[in-house]
Amino acid sequence: MFPEHTPRPPAVRAAEVHHPVPLTPAVPAPAPLVAVQPDTVPAVASVVLPDGRVVTGYAITPAHPDPATVKPAVSRTAVNVAVGGVGFLAVCGGLLMLTAFITALTALITQLIVLAAVVFGGFVAVQVFTGKGHKAGTTVNIRRAVIKRNHFHS
């Protein structure tokens, strides 16, 4: 073989090790602290840890939230929804009563119309089917009729 075409052993490189770097979250800059002179100097407390170390510092009282920022037990939205539901049920009951009233009124009007038809029809039937010999009205007896020039002469 040719010397320029001989394979070379691969170059040995040092292994690169990458260590993960934790990302710190973007936190807004803290508000500047204003030095406030306390009314009394707080007491210094010392705590002995189980391994024998002593930690000394000021006792911190827990912060109590303002009474105005305490959230109510029930949200206003839930109260509004509940009140709206009660109002809707009241309206539905009223609409149901109104529907029943309209139905009853329609039935009454229908019965009155049927009653009027029966009474009027009975009156007409009595007038038609009565067998009286003399009826009210004018009786005309025609004995001899003479018709001249499209005129009736009696």
Side-chain angles (χ1 to χ4, degrees):
M1 286 197 142
F2 300 106
E4 62 264 0
H5 291 293
T6 58
R8 290 188 223 165
V12 177
R13 289 197 244 173
E16 295 181 15
V17 178
H18 295 281
H19 295 286
V21 178
L23 298 174
T24 56
V27 179
L33 297 175
V34 179
V36 177
Q37 294 296 329
D39 295 339
T40 60
V41 176
V44 176
S46 296
V47 177
V48 179
L49 298 177
D51 61 356
R53 294 181 296 163
V54 177
V55 178
T56 305
Y58 293 105
I60 300 174
T61 57
H64 297 290
D66 295 335
T69 61
V70 174
K71 292 185 178 180
V74 179
S75 69
R76 290 182 184 214
T77 305
V79 171
N80 290 340
V81 168
V83 170
V86 170
F88 181 73
L89 287 177
V91 168
C92 286
L95 288 177
L96 185 65
M97 289 176 57
L98 181 65
T99 306
F101 174 74
I102 290 173
T103 305
L105 186 63
T106 304
L108 176 68
I109 291 172
T110 304
Q111 289 176 358
L112 288 176
I113 290 172
V114 169
L115 179 66
V118 168
V119 169
F120 183 71
F123 176 74
V124 170
V126 166
Q127 292 299 320
V128 168
F129 293 119
T130 53
K132 289 185 179 178
H134 183 276
K135 294 183 182 179
T138 305
T139 303
V140 177
N141 293 323
I142 302 174
R143 297 190 180 165
R144 282 188 291 173
V146 179
I147 300 173
K148 292 184 180 177
R149 295 185 191 155
N150 295 329
H151 289 293
F152 178 77
H153 296 284
S154 59

